[in-house]
Amino acid sequence: MKKGLKALEIARVEFGNIVRSNKFLAIVAIFTLMLLSGLCRVTEPSAATFEVPSATTHEVERVESDVKLGLKVMNAIGYSVLMLVPVVAVMLGFDVISGKVEKGIVRTLLAQPVFRDHIIAGTFVAGLTSLLVGVAMPLALSLSLAVLLLGITPSLADVALLITYLGVVAVFALAYYALSVFFSTVTGNSVKSLVAGILVWLFSSFMLPSLSTAIIRLLLGPPKFEQVQMGQMIVLRTDPDYMRKFTDLQNKILSLTLDYHFRVIQDQLLLGPGIKDYTGLLVLIAFSLATLIASFTVFVKREVR
Amino acid sequence: MVPPIKTENLTKVYKLGGKEVRAVDGVNLEVPKGSIFGLLGRNGAGKSTLIHMLMGTVLPTGGRGTVLGYDIVKESLKIREKVGFMPEGLGFYEDLTAEQNLMAIARLIGLKKPKESVRECLKLVGLWEYRQRKYGEMSTGMRQRLGIAQALLKDPELLVMDEPTSGVDPDGAREFRRLIQELNKQGRTIFISTHLLYEIGLLFTHIAVMRQGKIVVQGSVSGLKEKLMAGQGYVYEVELSEPSQVIIDRICSLNGVKEAILEGNKLVVLCSKPLAPTLLSFLKGYGVESFRLTKPTLEDIFRKFSG
């Protein structure tokens, strides 16, 4: 059997094992349920509906259906995707290598005429395929249901937007998955790897955004205000120059996280006119490739002890 | 004839915390064809590292070796194509059945008739009835048998097993011994590393004892027992119907007798050379009921050399 075929054979078996596992089924089920529950929000009247003064029922319906599809998707599942995709990716990746080492599967495979690079290449292929299935399937299902619930016939542009969004989410998931695989390879211990993956997610999603404001406040000092006359009233408004510096610094700090780059692309895609700045996407792809290559190198160089 | 396994000065040095650890230190090993060879040694003696070097999964730091005539560094893939290898602590995919796991390995090896080979091996190890059972739901004994089955898929002339009976219950160990004897009768050479002598020690025709990365003794079991007796002395146990304390002084005056002890009607004589005929004729008048030479066991050899 040729080298590439051996890796593919390992990938085939590995994928079969992953999708049969209770862990995978549980992850997909929970992710789907969370997305579906997020979808329930689309049936609520959106803010845009109330912005039309003295609208008749007919007008309200018209305005609601005119709301951009991307905004509806964003309102429905944008936050869930940002929060859950990293968790799904970490859960799928944390024991990809360490689990195989701990369970003795690597030893069994190495007892056959295969090299370590066959094993890790096969593992990557199987893992990425299962990740794609685990993330894309529930997302595609939820989006289709969303379209049905909204009662709209998606245009070609809408379909293109949803497919692009799926692709972007897959890249975001890949970045977290690659990181999780890296922890799994380096630590060789599933518990440590899981803890490391979850810590990175918690730090990126919750801790750093809060920490960043504290850091910026330390750097820039307390916010500066200016007085603005509004009719009869004088109101205090934060100094625009201070706010600009604050936002710039916050973006710089948050750009250290994967979540930030995904959010920038997601916002461009769903709320803006489409992706104009590909930096975030390139960062996510480059990060994924770098961590996968690092995992590959570490695994191939390591010997059985 | 090329021996199935041959090494010359094989060495493996690991660096642990800046210190050099010689896990395997200049090992010269030769495994005869058709033997059941036991690689013995305490935990950490270097047995597993040696085996992994032989199978090409660990690169040696020095020396050379061949397995079935193939170089362990340059032709490791060929070795793993031909040799049935059961590493210590091996495992399979937990959510796949016994049959699915073996089929995957059969395809990986590139067997021409994978289904037939898998069926044959499952039957040979007694797992055919349990072929649809998931690996995650199997007992330790069944898992061990599946491990042997994967090693047999290649129909190998050499089987290498690292600690195959650890964690296996007495019934499982008995079944394992039967299987090994059967495989050996088919002409296969079997190389087993273990520190659990009481389970499989009786099977070995040849052994090597490892200590701190070195082979301290190797050879056929019968030859090593002879060697041990020659070094430590020949012990004869005699049961007498008419024992007498007078006998002790007289026996000790015989050329070659080091010591004699009488306990009840049992006389133990320690000699520096074989003295059976002399002792028998000497003891004629004391009513000899039984007379036997106490041979050292494999455990005696292991204890003497493993440190």
Side-chain angles (χ1 to χ4, degrees):
Chain A
M1 198 184 264
K2 282 182 184 172
K3 194 174 175 174
L5 291 180
K6 281 181 180 173
L8 280 180
E9 180 56 32
I10 292 171
R12 197 188 63 79
V13 179
E14 185 104 342
F15 180 71
N17 187 58
I18 293 171
V19 294
R20 280 182 181 93
S21 69
N22 292 335
K23 184 183 93 175
F24 183 79
L25 296 175
I27 290 170
V28 170
I30 291 169
F31 188 41
T32 310
L33 281 174
M34 295 292 277
L35 289 177
L36 284 175
S37 64
L39 274 175
C40 295
R41 293 180 59 198
V42 297
T43 54
E44 291 171 10
S46 67
T49 310
F50 295 101
E51 279 171 11
V52 182
S54 66
T56 63
T57 313
H58 177 73
E59 280 169 333
V60 168
E61 281 171 2
R62 187 181 55 76
V63 170
E64 205 170 34
S65 63
D66 281 350
V67 174
K68 202 184 160 209
L69 180 70
L71 180 63
K72 287 174 181 168
V73 171
M74 184 71 185
N75 282 340
I77 55 172
Y79 184 73
S80 303
V81 167
L82 185 63
M83 286 296 112
L84 291 176
V85 164
V87 180
V88 171
V90 168
M91 293 306 289
L92 284 174
F94 79 93
D95 62 348
V96 155
I97 297 297
S98 54
K100 257 215 277 299
V101 173
E102 286 161 351
K103 289 171 186 166
I105 297 169
V106 169
R107 283 168 185 263
T108 308
L109 291 174
L110 284 174
Q112 319 310 328
V114 294
F115 287 127
R116 295 179 80 84
D117 49 356
H118 297 148
I119 298 175
I120 193 146
T123 304
F124 282 171
V125 173
L128 295 177
T129 317
S130 64
L131 177 74
L132 210 63
V133 173
V135 171
M137 210 169 61
L139 203 55
L141 183 73
S142 315
L143 289 172
S144 312
L145 274 171
V147 168
L148 281 175
L149 280 173
L150 291 166
I152 54 167
T153 316
S155 65
L156 210 60
D158 290 337
V159 174
L161 172 80
L162 295 181
I163 290 173
T164 312
Y165 183 54
L166 276 177
V168 170
V169 172
V171 172
F172 179 46
L174 171 68
Y176 263 100
Y177 179 79
L179 184 69
S180 191
V181 171
F182 179 71
F183 287 140
S184 181
T185 313
V186 171
T187 62
N189 180 307
S190 299
V191 176
K192 284 181 188 170
S193 162
L194 178 63
V195 170
I198 293 289
L199 276 178
V200 168
W201 170 67
L202 285 175
F203 185 75
S204 308
S205 302
F206 302 102
M207 290 162 73
L208 196 61
S210 311
L211 272 175
S212 64
T213 53
I215 294 167
I216 297 164
R217 175 128 187 175
L218 277 174
L219 290 172
L220 297 181
K224 290 164 189 160
F225 297 98
E226 56 183 24
Q227 290 185 345
V228 180
Q229 181 86 39
M230 286 185 79
Q232 295 291 317
M233 291 166 63
I234 295 172
V235 293
L236 285 174
R237 197 178 69 177
T238 317
D239 175 18
D241 191 43
Y242 180 90
M243 276 313 290
R244 192 180 42 75
K245 280 181 185 168
F246 186 94
T247 313
D248 283 351
L249 271 173
Q250 192 169 40
N251 285 344
K252 274 181 187 154
I253 293 172
L254 293 181
S255 68
L256 295 171
T257 68
L258 298 169
D259 301 38
Y260 169 82
H261 295 288
F262 172 68
R263 207 165 46 231
V264 168
I265 307 163
Q266 183 176 251
D267 289 353
Q268 285 183 66
L269 189 66
L270 298 181
L271 305 179
I275 305 175
K276 297 285 179 204
D277 180 6
Y278 286 89
T279 316
L281 203 60
L282 291 175
V283 167
L284 291 178
I285 292 171
F287 177 83
S288 308
L289 287 176
T291 40
L292 286 178
I293 290 168
S295 305
F296 187 93
T297 313
V298 169
F299 183 79
V300 170
K301 286 195 172 174
R302 191 169 283 169
E303 288 185 322
V304 174
R305 290 282 178 102
Chain B
M1 192 197 295
V2 184
I5 296 176
K6 187 172 167 56
T7 69
E8 282 170 32
N9 208 23
L10 200 60
T11 303
K12 179 69 190 180
V13 180
Y14 285 120
K15 277 187 182 166
L16 284 176
K19 276 185 179 179
E20 279 196 350
V21 178
R22 297 182 84 81
V24 174
D25 193 359
V27 163
N28 294 303
L29 186 73
E30 193 167 327
V31 175
K33 194 172 166 57
S35 62
I36 303 181
F37 196 103
L39 180 65
L40 313 177
R42 298 188 190 283
N43 286 332
K47 305 186 295 295
S48 291
T49 307
L50 174 59
I51 284 185
H52 280 290
M53 279 197 284
L54 294 174
M55 298 309 300
T57 49
V58 167
L59 283 175
T61 317
R64 55 193 297 274
T66 57
V67 174
L68 297 177
Y70 297 109
D71 187 277
I72 59 169
V73 177
K74 293 174 193 160
E75 296 167 298
S76 69
L77 219 55
K78 268 268 179 248
I79 292 171
R80 281 180 276 157
E81 245 173 56
K82 304 276 180 191
V83 177
F85 178 34
M86 184 184 170
E88 184 186 15
L90 86 171
F92 294 87
Y93 292 102
E94 296 204 336
D95 291 296
L96 299 186
T97 65
E99 193 174 24
Q100 285 170 334
N101 268 302
L102 283 195
M103 277 299 290
I105 289 169
R107 281 199 211 96
L108 212 53
I109 300 167
L111 295 182
K112 283 179 186 160
K113 292 180 178 174
K115 273 191 177 176
E116 285 79 354
S117 303
V118 166
R119 186 173 57 222
E120 210 174 291
C121 289
L122 282 171
K123 282 182 177 170
L124 188 65
V125 300
L127 280 181
W128 180 244
E129 287 172 49
Y130 305 99
R131 64 188 180 280
Q132 296 302 335
R133 188 171 287 190
K134 282 186 177 179
Y135 180 72
E137 295 161 2
M138 287 180 152
S139 68
T140 312
M142 288 165 89
R143 288 176 175 205
Q144 181 240 24
R145 280 190 271 163
L146 192 63
I148 300 172
Q150 67 79 27
L152 292 173
L153 273 175
K154 299 163 196 166
D155 191 18
E157 57 178 288
L158 171 66
L159 247 158
V160 175
M161 297 172 158
D162 192 7
E163 301 282 1
T165 53
S166 65
V168 176
D169 63 22
D171 284 346
R174 198 180 311 123
E175 183 56 30
F176 175 76
R177 286 196 295 269
R178 185 200 60 74
L179 189 61
I180 292 299
Q181 276 171 326
E182 196 180 316
L183 293 170
N184 185 239
K185 273 182 198 160
Q186 292 168 2
R188 302 176 207 265
T189 306
I190 302 183
F191 184 84
I192 299 174
S193 102
T194 188
H195 66 282
L196 303 170
L197 283 177
Y198 61 93
E199 282 173 343
I200 43 175
L202 289 172
L203 289 174
F204 299 137
T205 57
H206 295 73
I207 59 161
V209 180
M210 272 192 97
R211 184 180 172 187
Q212 291 173 344
K214 291 182 174 154
I215 299 275
V216 284
V217 67
Q218 68 176 305
S220 71
V221 173
S222 56
L224 287 173
K225 283 179 178 175
E226 280 295 327
K227 236 186 216 176
L228 194 65
M229 282 196 289
Q232 291 189 335
Y234 294 77
V235 181
Y236 296 95
E237 281 184 12
V238 193
E239 274 188 60
L240 303 169
S241 57
E242 296 160 33
S244 162
Q245 205 58 42
V246 186
I247 206 170
I248 299 296
D249 292 337
R250 295 185 63 190
I251 279 190
C252 285
S253 67
L254 288 173
N255 183 23
V257 173
K258 286 161 120 179
E259 200 181 346
I261 304 159
L262 185 67
E263 285 176 351
N265 64 342
K266 191 175 166 187
L267 176 69
V268 179
V269 186
L270 177 64
C271 310
S272 58
K273 58 183 181 181
L275 275 180
T278 315
L279 285 175
L280 272 172
S281 65
F282 181 80
L283 292 166
K284 251 180 196 170
Y286 297 93
V288 177
E289 287 185 337
S290 71
F291 182 93
R292 71 183 185 95
L293 171 67
T294 313
K295 286 187 178 172
T297 62
L298 196 60
E299 279 190 41
D300 294 327
I301 301 174
F302 181 69
R303 264 194 224 108
K304 175 162 171 62
F305 294 105
S306 64

